[in-house]
Amino acid sequence: MTALKYKRNFCIVAHIDHGKSTLADRLIQKAKIIDDRQMKNQILDNMDIERERGITIKSQAVTIPYHAKDGHDYELNFVDTPGHVDFSYEVSRAIASCEGALLLIDASQGVESQTVSNLYLAMEQDLEIVPVINKIDLPSADIPAIKQQIDHDLGLDAADAVPVSAKTGAGIDDLMEAIVTKFPAPGGDPDGRTQALIFDCHYDEYRGVIIHIRIMNGRIKKGDTIRFMHSGTEYKVEQAGIFKIKYEETGVLEAGDVGYIVSGVKTVSDVRVGDTVTLADNPADDPLAGFKEVKPVVFSSIYPIDSNDYEELKDSMEKLKLNDASLVFEKDNSVALGNGFRCGFLGLLHLEIVEERLERDYGQAVIFTAPSVRYRITLTNGGEMTIDNPTEFPEGRIQRAEEPYIRASIITPAEYIGPIVSLCVEKRGEQKNMQYLDEKRVELVYEMPLAEVLFDFYDRLKSYSRGYASFDYEVIDYRDTDLVKVDILINGKGVDALSLLSYKPSATARARKVCERLKDEIARQQFKIAIQGAIGSQIIARETVNPVRKDVLAKCYGGDITRKRKLLEKQKEGKKRMKMVGNVELPQSAFLAVLKEKED
């Protein structure tokens, strides 16, 4: 085993698209732990969705050997993390298993909002931070300006910044040396009582739950009986090892190591991310601090398309929860869609990714309802309740309602300020601050309702700023709002899965949008279909799906006009009768269309 002083644990954090996964590729290539034939771009992004979207969703750990200039062999454990704000919980867990962080900054884009929030995450955990200026091979790279931003915006010493190009491999040697010299060795006592932090897990069909751990004290070896301190359950270790792209069995892990253990855990609920693993025969006195409880901000219900698949969906959700600790769910049911789950997500991208993973990784066909946020309601009888589901709305019993507000920080090039400010005002934003970071970039700080950011805010921000604006937010408090429930009626019947909670002045526009989209999705029948939006008994929006008309006059060639009129009258009578009993089939795409913004 490598001595503690020759180990380094660090993570790579940055804003989206600043080159974390590419830098990870170069470090892996440099260490030659995989031959050039098997090497591919973004090798750590092993989910199809990650490769297609070009984003990292799951943080991934790798152990690489390095022979330093001082003649010693070092063992470097590093974690590649996501950059998107919806996955910042994933970043915070990766940070907890490290002593240092490489903060990557794009040499052409500069410091952006997620750069700043990831820096704070790392500082909260007392990590040693080394700034890295990436993409120095780009013609638009401006290294002196970036150094000034590192000094001025981040408060770090720009002299420590290492310029590299993750694409070409320039500067990687200097970076490896900086990792060894600037980052501290991990603490911990290999001979103490065992304490290991679970920072991630995933489910394997053949081996059960594979647990990713960082050992703080003591050691765990094959054959040991371990205990999970949260649930108190005990298991025997069948395999222990480190990550070298594939799993590499070492048989033992000790203080300072980041690795995995397999112990035949089949009961998914026994394992919890943030729990402490210790030895059953000589347990630690106290568990480790673990992670902050995650607070979901967006809520939506998931239902299986075929209600017989409910149990399968439940198993899939539990396995996904293992791998995505920020997913929160509880049972729910709907008149239109049967049994399902009410889920909490960290944002809309998180919701989309969960939907895709359920469909791809677990083969589930599911329907999601319109996302909403959690409101606080004070009832007329003085009681209080929180609701995130339109079906729980206490009609007529509300004294006051409050909705969550966020503090949004937007960093944008100065020329796009106009449209961005009007977008924020349209979304009920209140400007709190506006400062020029340098000649070209401005930081805008707004306080606005979270519900306004849910639907099209992010997409419009990106299109108004041609992709240059970056956006980060935190939930600050709850404030009074005028809340109503909008019901969607199809042929006079309410569809509970389509109803939504809305701010009253914008309810009509929302209802109109939903009705328009449903009109495009619902197939025409032989009778008229009315699609209406209503608040209580008041109709606020309406669209009509016109009937298909059978040509009853096809067999009349010329002849008497009264004969034709008689046939048309007969058809009219039949249509009336159909309308009385007509029930409309809603396709699954109708539920999804309501969620998506209509493309202009």
Side-chain angles (χ1 to χ4, degrees), residues 289-583:
F291 303 108
K292 274 194 303 205
E293 276 296 302
V294 60
K295 289 191 177 67
V297 292
V298 178
F299 298 85
S300 170
S301 294
I302 304 182
Y303 300 97
I305 288 178
D306 180 350
S307 51
N308 297 331
D309 294 343
Y310 173 73
E311 284 301 322
E312 254 181 65
L313 177 62
K314 186 179 167 195
D315 286 350
S316 303
M317 293 287 287
E318 285 185 347
K319 287 174 187 170
L320 185 57
K321 164 96 179 137
L322 255 193
N323 198 229
D324 180 355
S326 51
L327 178 65
V328 179
F329 63 89
E330 60 191 29
K331 286 182 180 168
D332 188 24
N333 78 351
S334 138
V335 181
L337 297 169
N339 284 334
F341 294 97
R342 188 74 184 164
C343 303
F345 305 94
L346 298 184
L348 275 192
L349 178 67
H350 187 203
L351 183 150
E352 271 183 46
I353 297 296
V354 167
E355 179 185 354
E356 273 195 46
R357 289 188 68 184
L358 280 172
E359 286 179 358
R360 288 183 181 200
D361 302 357
Y362 302 100
Q364 296 298 315
V366 289
I367 294 175
F368 276 68
T369 60
S372 98
V373 297
R374 184 167 275 171
Y375 296 93
R376 274 193 203 150
I377 309 280
T378 307
L379 301 171
T380 43
N381 63 7
E384 290 192 352
M385 64 187 289
T386 57
I387 60 167
D388 55 55
N389 200 339
T391 53
E392 298 165 358
F393 190 70
E395 200 79 63
R397 295 186 292 131
I398 295 179
Q399 187 177 330
R400 62 183 279 222
E402 296 172 296
E403 65 178 333
Y405 263 67
I406 60 171
R407 180 177 289 112
S409 148
I410 300 167
I411 296 179
T412 170
E415 64 258 39
Y416 305 119
I417 287 184
I420 289 176
V421 166
S422 46
L423 171 66
C424 293
V425 170
E426 181 195 325
K427 297 290 188 184
R428 298 191 279 146
E430 191 183 315
Q431 191 171 340
K432 288 296 173 193
N433 192 7
M434 172 174 164
Q435 70 180 71
Y436 278 79
L437 299 173
D438 50 38
E439 306 82 71
K440 295 178 186 165
R441 296 175 317 131
V442 182
E443 181 180 26
L444 300 166
V445 177
Y446 272 86
E447 288 183 3
M448 56 172 78
L450 175 63
E452 295 287 349
V453 178
L454 280 194
F455 286 92
D456 55 348
F457 180 82
Y458 196 69
D459 297 342
R460 283 171 64 186
L461 177 72
K462 283 294 183 199
S463 62
Y464 289 165
S465 66
R466 300 196 179 162
Y468 283 109
S470 64
F471 170 68
D472 185 36
Y473 66 85
E474 57 174 352
V475 178
I476 42 174
D477 55 11
Y478 275 76
R479 297 182 193 174
D480 285 357
T481 184
D482 188 0
L483 187 67
V484 289
K485 177 186 176 187
V486 178
D487 288 309
I488 302 297
L489 313 174
I490 297 194
N491 263 0
K493 277 190 175 169
V495 182
D496 63 344
L498 289 175
S499 53
L500 44 103
L501 299 169
S502 172
Y503 176 59
K504 195 172 182 180
S506 53
T508 307
R510 284 281 302 276
R512 209 170 276 153
K513 258 185 188 172
V514 172
C515 291
E516 278 172 15
R517 281 185 221 153
L518 285 173
K519 182 187 175 186
D520 295 342
E521 292 296 329
I522 292 176
R524 289 166 69 182
Q525 312 280 340
Q526 290 193 339
F527 51 90
K528 238 185 211 173
I529 301 172
I531 305 168
Q532 295 164 308
I535 297 175
S537 56
Q538 180 193 3
I539 303 294
I540 55 171
R542 168 170 176 144
E543 289 287 336
T544 308
V545 179
N546 287 324
V548 256
R549 188 169 164 202
K550 185 180 174 195
D551 189 0
V552 290
L553 306 181
K555 56 181 183 284
C556 297
Y557 296 105
D560 188 1
I561 185 74
T562 53
R563 165 95 177 119
K564 291 184 182 175
R565 203 167 278 153
K566 192 173 168 192
L567 283 169
L568 289 173
E569 286 299 321
K570 202 171 167 189
Q571 183 183 38
K572 218 178 201 175
E573 281 300 307
K575 287 257 167 92
K576 254 188 195 156
R577 268 206 313 278
M578 284 174 95
K579 196 167 181 186
M580 304 282 286
V581 296
N583 253 347

Side-chain angles (χ1 to χ4, degrees), residues 15 18 104-112 115 146 149 153 441:
H15 189 81
H18 280 207
L104 232 60
I105 300 150
D106 184 323
S108 60
Q109 302 272 4
V111 170
E112 296 192 70
T115 317
I146 305 296
Q149 287 177 22
D153 301 358
R441 296 175 317 131

Side-chain angles (χ1 to χ4, degrees), residues 78-349:
F78 78 86
V79 187
D80 175 28
T81 64
H84 199 283
V85 61
D86 282 17
F87 304 117
S88 54
Y89 188 65
E90 194 70 38
V91 180
S92 71
R93 300 206 324 262
I95 284 176
S97 61
C98 302
E99 278 80 36
L102 295 179
L103 184 68
L104 232 60
I105 300 150
D106 184 323
S108 60
Q109 302 272 4
V111 170
E112 296 192 70
S113 56
Q114 263 324 94
T115 317
V116 181
S117 51
N118 282 335
L119 171 72
Y120 289 145
L121 275 179
M123 282 178 160
E124 276 172 25
Q125 294 279 353
D126 287 339
L127 262 57
E128 185 66 41
I129 295 157
V130 171
V132 179
I133 302 173
N134 190 19
K135 307 194 186 181
I136 55 171
D137 57 315
L138 290 181
S140 56
D142 186 349
I143 297 172
I146 305 296
K147 285 195 168 176
Q148 190 193 342
Q149 287 177 22
I150 290 172
D151 243 354
H152 180 258
D153 301 358
L154 302 178
L156 298 172
D157 186 355
D160 289 345
V162 185
V164 301
S165 164
K167 190 172 165 189
T168 63
I172 297 294
D173 289 336
D174 298 342
L175 181 61
M176 296 285 244
E177 279 303 311
I179 290 167
V180 168
T181 52
K182 302 255 174 68
F183 290 152
D189 174 12
D191 300 316
R193 288 183 175 182
T194 301
Q195 283 177 309
L197 179 71
I198 302 179
F199 68 90
D200 202 0
C201 313
H202 72 274
Y203 191 81
D204 183 289
E205 294 268 310
Y206 306 104
R207 297 187 286 181
V209 180
I210 294 180
I211 304 160
H212 302 202
I213 55 172
R214 156 74 202 268
I215 303 214
M216 301 299 185
N217 288 305
R219 54 172 64 84
I220 291 179
K221 57 186 186 299
K222 191 175 172 177
D224 283 346
T225 303
I226 53 167
R227 177 183 299 162
F228 298 119
M229 292 184 91
H230 169 71
S231 60
T233 49
E234 296 183 2
Y235 289 93
K236 191 172 182 180
V237 178
E238 295 166 6
Q239 207 179 341
I242 55 174
F243 306 105
K244 283 203 174 171
I245 312 294
K246 302 270 190 292
Y247 297 112
E248 187 173 294
E249 195 172 349
T250 56
V252 62
L253 293 169
E254 59 178 40
D257 283 340
V258 174
Y260 73 93
I261 51 174
V262 178
S263 48
V265 181
K266 289 284 190 282
T267 317
V268 172
S269 55
D270 283 352
V271 185
R272 225 176 80 167
V273 168
D275 193 7
T276 304
V277 177
T278 187
L279 294 182
D281 51 6
N282 187 14
D285 299 331
D286 302 307
L288 297 160
F291 303 108
K292 274 194 303 205
E293 276 296 302
V294 60
K295 289 191 177 67
V297 292
V298 178
F299 298 85
S300 170
S301 294
I302 304 182
Y303 300 97
I305 288 178
D306 180 350
S307 51
N308 297 331
D309 294 343
Y310 173 73
E311 284 301 322
E312 254 181 65
L313 177 62
K314 186 179 167 195
D315 286 350
S316 303
M317 293 287 287
E318 285 185 347
K319 287 174 187 170
L320 185 57
K321 164 96 179 137
L322 255 193
N323 198 229
D324 180 355
S326 51
L327 178 65
V328 179
F329 63 89
E330 60 191 29
K331 286 182 180 168
D332 188 24
N333 78 351
S334 138
V335 181
L337 297 169
N339 284 334
F341 294 97
R342 188 74 184 164
C343 303
F345 305 94
L346 298 184
L348 275 192
L349 178 67

